[in-house]
């Protein structure tokens, strides 16, 4: 009797201990699952072909499920999906649904622009006494690198995982004589996306002959969400005391004008539409600002806030200038993805337009053995009511 009681107690104790251990293992497993950090990732999908070359959409997804997509045609930024103050996700970058619209011609939606973004007066420059005539595609001038520029080229793409971010690195080799530019240039555009909803774009380039290079991203932002209407009510500040003086063709004269007392003054917050009617010649803003601070150092350049949704965009850059463009020439048709004038804004970080012909401007001359590298950070956030 005593033996049976002892055995029964030992059995009950053993069974109870097994249950305790099993429950503890379950809790440990649940703790591991709950503490495990979600993994940032990149998803790929076919986006069509150009001249039998595959075009791929790369979607970078952070731990919050916020997304930024790029493709290797034109090293182009596609959708950027970020939340408003209520947590609702929306794409804030104008883009097309199909590749055909990009190939046929478009207003540089999300494009990597080069070899030289913005304008070069009279489509020519001189290096070491040799004049280089460039392709003309904007009146008598060159705009954004000429005909079939970087925005219309198929880039090689490589998805990569960095420390605290995911990225897509795109590379293009531009041959000697491309649109009239001397030298074979190897250009790289790297898009990085992290858990702070920071989209970092790093442009770099090398050459085998002296040449001029000026690279930018030409995204059109609508912080209310694409299709939500005008951007005129957005509050903007730009860290600039000076803007470039230009002629009737928007070619810089070489002079820098104070913004104080003009419609270009965004040193304190103003809505984009508050003084836009004072700029009839350009139908809105299309002006290059001199970013405060030392070029080559990453510093604050601009902030834009949509009061309706709370979405904000802060831009920092190493570039000397930033071009504010309020989508003045979007016509509302299919070539513009049905978006009209002033339904978005661009803040293109860059060197100054026509710098090859303005020795007083920061130089865009790239020599063999040198590496151009410029970084711009777009940080998306939310402001409370």
């Amino acid at each position: 009797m005593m033996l049976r009681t002892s055995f029964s107690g030992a059995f009950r104790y053993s069974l109870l201990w097994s249950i305790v251990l099993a429950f503890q293992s379950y809790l440990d497993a649940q703790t591991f699952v709950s503490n495990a950090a979600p993994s940032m990732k990149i998803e790929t999908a076919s986006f069509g072909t150009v001249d039998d070359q595959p075009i791929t959409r790369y979607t970078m997804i952070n731990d919050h499920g916020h997304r930024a997509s790029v493709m290797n045609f034109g090293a182009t930024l596609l959708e950027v999906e970020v939340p408003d103050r209520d947590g609702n996700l929306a794409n804030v970058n104008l883009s097309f649904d199909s590749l055909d619209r990009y190939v046929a011609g478009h207003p540089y939606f999300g494009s990597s622009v080069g070899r030289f973004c913005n304008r070069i007066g009279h489509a020519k420059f001189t290096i070491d006494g040799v004049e280089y005539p460039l392709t003309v595609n904007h009146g008598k001038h060159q705009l954004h690198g000429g005909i079939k520029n970087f925005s219309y080229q198929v880039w090689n793409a490589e998805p990569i995982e960095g420390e605290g971010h995911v990225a897509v690195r795109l590379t293009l080799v531009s041959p000697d004589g491309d649109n009239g530019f001397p030298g074979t240039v190897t250009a790289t555009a790297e898009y990085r996306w992290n858990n702070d909803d920071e989209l970092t774009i790093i442009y770099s380039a090398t050459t085998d002959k002296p040449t001029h290079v000026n690279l930018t991203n030409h995204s059109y932002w609508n912080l209310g969400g694409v299709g939500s209407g005008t951007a005129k009510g957005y509050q903007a500040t730009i860290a600039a005391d000076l803007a470039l003086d230009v002629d009737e063709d928007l070619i810089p004269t070489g002079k820098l004008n104070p913004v104080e007392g003009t419609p270009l003054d965004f040193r304190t917050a103003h809505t984009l539409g508050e003084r836009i009617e004072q700029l009839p010649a350009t139908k809105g803003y299309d002006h290059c600002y001199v970013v405060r601070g030392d070029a080559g150092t990453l510093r604050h350049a601009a902030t834009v806030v949509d009061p309706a949704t709370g979405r904000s965009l802060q831009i920092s850059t190493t570039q000397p200038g930033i071009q504010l463009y309020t989508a003045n020439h979007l016509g509302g048709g299919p070539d513009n993805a049905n978006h009209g004038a002033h339904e978005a804004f661009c803040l293109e970080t860059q060197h100054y337009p026509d710098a090859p012909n303005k020795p007083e401007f920061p130089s865009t001359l790239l020599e063999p053995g040198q590496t151009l590298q410029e970084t711009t950070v777009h940080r998306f956030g939310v402001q409370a009511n």
Side-chain angles (χ1 to χ4, degrees):
M1 184 70 177
M2 190 68 183
L3 178 61
R4 187 170 57 188
T5 302
S6 176
F7 176 80
S8 178
F11 177 79
R12 287 197 299 270
Y13 178 82
S14 176
L15 179 61
L16 180 60
W17 184 245
S18 297
I19 293 172
V20 169
L21 290 176
F23 185 69
Q24 184 62 51
S25 296
Y26 170 80
L27 290 178
D28 290 344
Q30 293 304 108
T31 301
F32 173 79
V33 170
S34 64
N35 289 340
S39 177
M40 288 183 284
K41 60 183 178 180
I42 299 177
E43 295 179 345
T44 61
S46 174
F47 202 57
T49 60
V50 174
D51 298 330
D52 297 324
Q53 299 179 82
I55 305 303
T56 301
R57 176 202 296 268
Y58 299 84
T59 301
M60 300 173 286
I61 307 172
N62 67 19
D63 291 347
H64 312 295
H66 308 161
R67 300 166 176 254
S69 302
V70 300
M71 69 170 170
N72 59 313
F73 182 75
T76 299
L77 182 67
L78 300 172
E79 293 85 5
V80 178
E81 297 178 5
V82 290
D84 64 10
R85 65 166 60 95
D86 297 318
N88 300 311
L89 289 178
N91 171 36
V92 297
N93 183 43
L94 271 55
S95 59
F96 294 99
D97 293 331
S98 69
L99 179 62
D100 293 345
R101 287 292 179 186
Y102 289 97
V103 175
H106 62 95
Y108 297 98
F109 280 176
S111 297
S112 288
V113 179
R115 214 185 260 199
F116 199 98
C117 66
N118 215 314
R119 295 160 177 82
I120 296 181
H122 301 280
K124 63 182 179 180
F125 56 71
T126 299
I127 299 176
D128 296 332
V130 178
E131 183 176 286
Y132 293 92
L134 310 175
T135 56
V136 177
N137 66 334
H138 190 67
K140 56 189 175 183
H141 312 294
Q142 188 186 82
L143 176 68
H144 291 330
I147 302 167
K148 200 176 180 183
N149 51 52
F150 284 13
S151 306
Y152 293 91
Q153 301 296 321
V154 179
W155 298 52
N156 292 322
E158 174 191 9
I160 55 178
E161 294 184 8
E163 186 174 343
H165 66 265
V166 287
V168 180
R169 183 179 297 140
L170 302 110
T171 304
L172 177 70
V173 177
S174 171
D176 185 21
D178 187 3
N179 279 288
F181 288 87
T184 298
V185 166
T186 300
T188 300
E190 183 172 318
Y191 291 86
R192 296 179 177 179
W193 184 238
N194 67 17
N195 283 330
D196 293 323
D197 288 345
E198 289 176 334
L199 177 67
T200 299
I201 305 175
I202 303 171
Y203 286 114
S204 60
T206 58
T207 183
D208 64 355
K209 293 181 183 177
T211 192
H212 287 281
V213 181
N214 189 14
L215 304 175
T216 194
N217 177 269
H218 204 306
S219 286
Y220 289 69
W221 305 110
N222 182 308
L223 298 179
V226 169
S228 65
T230 183
K232 287 183 178 181
Y234 297 170
Q235 294 276 349
T237 56
I238 300 176
D241 305 306
L242 301 169
L244 273 64
D245 184 65
V246 295
D247 64 17
E248 64 277 5
D249 290 336
L250 301 185
I251 304 299
T253 65
K255 183 181 176 184
L256 304 178
N257 292 331
V259 299
E260 183 177 4
T262 77
L264 306 186
D265 190 353
F266 285 94
R267 295 175 300 166
T268 58
H270 292 270
T271 65
L272 292 175
E274 180 180 338
R275 300 161 296 176
I276 205 168
E277 302 301 329
Q278 298 179 40
L279 301 165
T282 49
K283 301 180 181 180
Y285 291 94
D286 195 1
H287 299 79
C288 187
Y289 289 80
V290 178
V291 179
R292 284 192 207 113
D294 296 329
T297 62
L298 189 65
R299 65 218 187 277
H300 177 70
T303 299
V304 183
V305 178
D306 173 25
T309 64
R311 288 192 185 92
S312 65
L313 172 59
Q314 296 182 46
I315 296 179
S316 301
T317 189
T318 60
Q319 300 260 33
I322 189 167
Q323 182 95 5
L324 171 62
Y325 175 56
T326 45
N328 309 322
H329 301 292
L330 295 188
D335 291 348
N336 302 279
N338 300 317
H339 299 297
H342 309 144
E343 290 186 10
F345 66 92
C346 304
L347 282 168
E348 307 153 60
T349 61
Q350 58 189 249
H351 273 64
Y352 306 157
D354 204 34
N357 297 311
K358 299 290 187 299
E360 63 270 37
F361 285 174
S363 179
T364 54
L365 186 66
L366 183 64
E367 302 268 10
Q370 297 178 336
T371 298
L372 173 151
Q373 182 165 303
E374 300 287 357
T375 299
T376 298
V377 179
H378 304 76
R379 183 167 189 169
F380 298 92
V382 176
Q383 289 196 356
N385 279 318

